[in-house]
Amino acid sequence: MTTAREIMTEGAECIGAEETVLEAAKKMTQMGVGALPICGTDDRLKGMLTDRDIVVKVLGVGKDPAECKAGELAQGEAVTIGADDDAAEIMRTMADHQVRRLPVIDGHRLVGVVAQADVARALPDPQVGDLLEALSVN
């Protein structure tokens, strides 16, 4: 069975919890990504910051992205997947939590991110269809 380690995008870069949302947006632009893991000063994952979070939770409510810290947008415990978890667990976790990107953890260390597109490339069409349907419910 395919594991998260086999299909993830390696070398995920974090945005520090104390860095600003503006810095995060610049980093997203430079990297060509729509989400970044938020890491604390202890190098532990605090959450995920998406481009949608920036628009809805910062710009949409009139906050200044140059003043707002990325860590302010981390909500509760981050939904993650273990590096050796299989594809079925990846799909179940994405569907249960309605997320399209999962940070991949090996021990306590962030080693990559599995995105919906990674799953789509790695799995047979019927399984991908099931995942897309589950994520499109809401």
Side-chain angles (χ1 to χ4, degrees):
M1 180 60 77
T2 303
T3 66
R5 188 184 311 276
E6 294 170 323
I7 64 172
M8 71 183 186
T9 300
E10 292 185 60
E13 270 193 56
C14 286
I15 188 71
E18 295 302 314
E19 292 183 75
T20 68
V21 171
L22 180 59
E23 291 167 314
K26 289 178 181 179
K27 188 179 255 191
M28 284 181 189
T29 300
Q30 291 166 349
M31 295 175 63
V33 298
L36 288 171
I38 302 169
C39 294
T41 54
D42 58 358
D43 276 340
R44 295 216 181 225
L45 184 67
K46 303 298 181 192
M48 288 290 285
L49 176 65
T50 66
D51 46 10
R52 186 174 192 284
D53 291 333
I54 293 171
V55 171
V56 173
K57 297 175 182 174
V58 179
L59 301 175
V61 295
K63 290 184 180 178
D64 182 352
E67 297 294 322
C68 183
K69 303 293 185 200
E72 293 174 34
L73 301 180
Q75 297 180 345
E77 192 171 323
V79 177
T80 63
I81 195 81
D84 296 317
D85 287 345
D86 65 25
E89 182 64 23
I90 295 167
M91 292 192 315
R92 186 172 29 260
T93 302
M94 284 183 167
D96 288 351
H97 296 278
Q98 292 292 295
V99 296
R100 290 172 169 75
R101 299 172 192 92
L102 286 172
V104 180
I105 305 295
D106 190 0
H108 292 290
R109 196 170 59 91
L110 177 70
V111 294
V113 174
V114 173
Q116 180 180 346
D118 298 323
V119 176
R121 281 190 293 272
L123 299 179
D125 288 343
Q127 287 180 305
V128 173
D130 292 344
L131 175 61
L132 292 175
E133 185 177 333
L135 291 177
S136 298
V137 171
N138 291 330

